[in-house]
């Protein structure tokens, strides 16, 4: 595996889930695989879960680990090609990427969408440069449009908790005070479309996800109707993807607190489990009583972030 961006990079999904189950049951079985290998993880943005779970996974595989926070101690990096570098950015990604990759065997990159230029974000301009100029396997640790390690962990969690062969999974938009990227819902939709689940997306009009991720998923604008009979409720905020109105890309179009997942929303489900990638704003995205209930599985979901990324790193080590 040379890159991990999409569900397609995992190959056969059933085999990928079986590999993840093995990793979860045998976390230290492959320590020899990573001996004398180095994992570098590079953060352009903040992180708690991704930062810790990726380090833990690489350590479980016997690797050495280095972490670089680009905005804390490194030179400020220019990401645009063809610019006159007369501002505050001292180094270009064109040099920084091959240098960083000369120090490691696998690189993970977190680089969020700036939400100002849809074409720039949806071209995965920053992550794409790591793939083009690094020469080492690259893992998206949430890039401009995708968060595959999160979506893989989400699917592992659904597989663990499901009690029906084909559960109903609902991705619901929920309100948030700030504009957030679409990476989590994009990847969640992509992975649910590939999985054997009955998948429904619900959001206010104007928040339609990019068709390359939403695929043929059912979209239901009536949130309560969408939630009826759900087995899993996955709440997430995202800003306007700019599909129907490109000029609205990255904007907050709606703050309707009626979309907050509370007990009344969960009451119409089939005793659904509540999921969220975290961090979550309580009583904006989800009420305290729902996230604190016994049907909330946000903690085991976060714990599975180690499993998903360890499965990916292991596959990459096997193909070095
Ligand atoms: N879910 C997730 O990626 O969490 P962090 O932003 O804390 O890494």
């Amino acid at each position: 595996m040379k890159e991990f961006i999409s569900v397609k990079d995992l190959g056969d999904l059933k085999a990928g889930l079986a590999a993840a189950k093995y990793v979860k049951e045998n976390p230290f079985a492959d320590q020899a695989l990573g001996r004398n290998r180095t994992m570098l993880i590079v953060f352009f943005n903040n992180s708690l879960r991704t930062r810790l779970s990726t380090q833990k996974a690489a350590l479980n595989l016997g690797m050495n680990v280095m972490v670089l926070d680009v905005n804390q101690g490194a030179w400020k990096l220019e990401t645009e090609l063809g610019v006159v570098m007369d501002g505050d950015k001292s180094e270009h990604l064109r040099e920084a990427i091959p240098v960083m990759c000369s120090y490691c065997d696998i690189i993970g990159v977190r680089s969020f969408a700036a939400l100002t230029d849809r074409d720039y974000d949806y071209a995965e301009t920053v992550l794409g440069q790591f793939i083009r100029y690094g020469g080492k396997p690259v893992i998206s640790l949430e890039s401009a449009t995708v968060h595959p390690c999160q979506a893989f962990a989400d699917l592992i969690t659904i597989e663990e908790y499901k009690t029906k062969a084909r559960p109903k999974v609902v991705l619901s938009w929920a309100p948030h005070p700030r504009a957030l990227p679409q990476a989590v819902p994009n990847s969640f939709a992509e992975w649910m479309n590939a999985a054997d689940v009955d998948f429904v997306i619900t959001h206010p009009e104007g928040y339609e996800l990019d068709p390359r991720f939403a695929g043929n998923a059912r979209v239901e604008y009536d949130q309560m109707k969408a939630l009826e009979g759900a087995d899993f409720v996955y709440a997430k905020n995202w800003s306007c993807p700019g599909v129907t109105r490109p000029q609205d890309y990255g904007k907050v179009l709606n703050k309707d607190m009626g979309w907050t997942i509370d007990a009344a929303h969960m009451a119409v489900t089939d005793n659904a489990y509540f999921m969220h990638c975290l961090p979550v704003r309580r009583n904006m995205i989800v009420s305290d009583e729902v996230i604190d209930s016994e049907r909330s599985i946000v903690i085991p979901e976060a714990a599975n972030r180690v499993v998903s990324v360890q499965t990916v790193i292991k596959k990459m080590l096997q193909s070095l």
Side-chain angles (χ1 to χ4, degrees):
M1 192 193 284
K2 285 283 177 215
E3 56 198 48
F4 185 61
I5 297 166
S6 157
V7 66
K8 295 187 189 85
D9 297 322
L10 197 59
D12 180 76
L13 188 52
K14 275 200 177 132
L17 286 166
K21 191 165 186 288
Y22 178 85
V23 162
K24 186 154 184 170
E25 288 165 1
N26 306 276
F28 309 114
D30 297 292
Q31 290 238 316
L33 205 54
R35 191 168 300 135
N36 297 329
R37 297 289 192 183
T38 300
M39 177 88 209
L40 170 59
I41 52 178
V42 179
F43 289 91
F44 289 83
N45 309 95
N46 295 339
S47 166
L48 187 154
R49 278 142 292 274
T50 304
R51 174 185 301 270
L52 295 178
S53 62
T54 308
Q55 290 183 70
K56 173 74 177 150
L59 292 168
N60 285 354
L61 289 164
M63 299 181 82
N64 301 310
V65 185
M66 300 190 298
V67 184
L68 179 68
D69 287 293
V70 169
N71 297 318
Q72 288 170 24
W75 301 110
K76 271 198 170 178
L77 293 178
E78 178 59 66
T79 58
E80 302 255 13
L81 290 167
V83 292
V84 177
M85 290 176 58
D86 59 355
D88 63 341
K89 294 177 177 161
S90 309
E91 180 159 19
H92 202 285
L93 273 184
R94 280 295 278 115
E95 289 75 52
I97 290 170
V99 169
M100 289 190 274
C101 287
S102 74
Y103 303 147
C104 69
D105 298 285
I106 299 174
I107 189 163
V109 182
R110 165 158 288 196
S111 172
F112 289 172
L115 297 178
T116 50
D117 180 340
R118 187 179 201 280
D119 291 342
Y120 182 88
D121 289 341
Y122 272 74
E124 285 287 0
T125 307
V126 174
L127 191 77
Q129 292 188 62
F130 278 86
I131 293 168
R132 262 196 308 285
Y133 306 129
K136 296 285 165 70
V138 176
I139 302 174
S140 165
L141 298 176
E142 187 172 343
S143 48
T145 63
V146 290
H147 196 355
C149 296
Q150 181 65 54
F152 189 14
D154 297 334
L155 180 56
I156 292 165
T157 309
I158 288 169
E159 285 292 311
E160 289 173 347
Y161 280 83
K162 72 180 186 184
T163 54
K164 297 173 187 164
R166 197 163 188 275
K168 179 175 178 182
V169 178
V170 179
L171 167 63
S172 177
W173 180 93
H176 192 280
R178 291 179 43 235
L180 297 185
Q182 297 110 41
V184 169
N186 281 346
S187 283
F188 188 74
E190 183 195 24
W191 285 67
M192 288 305 114
N193 282 329
D196 191 14
V197 299
D198 174 17
F199 182 48
V200 180
I201 307 174
T202 184
H203 54 71
E205 288 193 31
Y207 281 92
E208 291 76 13
L209 294 173
D210 190 290
R212 86 186 79 161
F213 300 107
N216 295 322
R218 250 186 306 148
V219 176
E220 170 56 66
Y221 294 106
D222 181 332
Q223 187 191 28
M224 281 301 196
K225 204 168 158 197
L227 292 170
E228 277 171 16
D231 299 295
F232 293 89
V233 175
Y234 194 99
K236 184 72 184 87
N237 174 268
W238 61 91
S239 62
C240 174
V243 171
T244 50
R245 282 171 50 89
Q247 64 271 36
D248 285 343
Y249 175 65
K251 289 185 185 163
V252 175
L253 304 178
N254 192 320
K255 288 188 185 175
D256 181 356
M257 296 291 281
W259 283 77
T260 301
I261 302 292
D262 61 12
H265 290 81
M266 295 302 280
V268 303
T269 70
D270 190 5
N271 197 23
Y273 286 109
F274 175 80
M275 300 180 72
H276 188 279
C277 61
L278 305 182
V280 69
R281 296 216 181 202
R282 283 170 172 252
N283 304 309
M284 286 291 307
I285 301 284
V286 57
S287 68
D288 283 336
E289 66 179 329
V290 170
I291 196 166
D292 291 333
S293 77
E294 60 180 23
R295 302 304 282 179
S296 169
I297 52 173
V298 296
I299 305 304
E301 179 185 359
N304 276 333
R305 289 292 306 277
V306 177
V307 181
S308 64
V309 75
Q310 188 168 331
T311 306
V312 170
I313 297 169
K314 179 179 165 183
K315 256 179 112 75
M316 286 182 165
L317 285 169
Q318 285 168 330
S319 55
L320 284 177

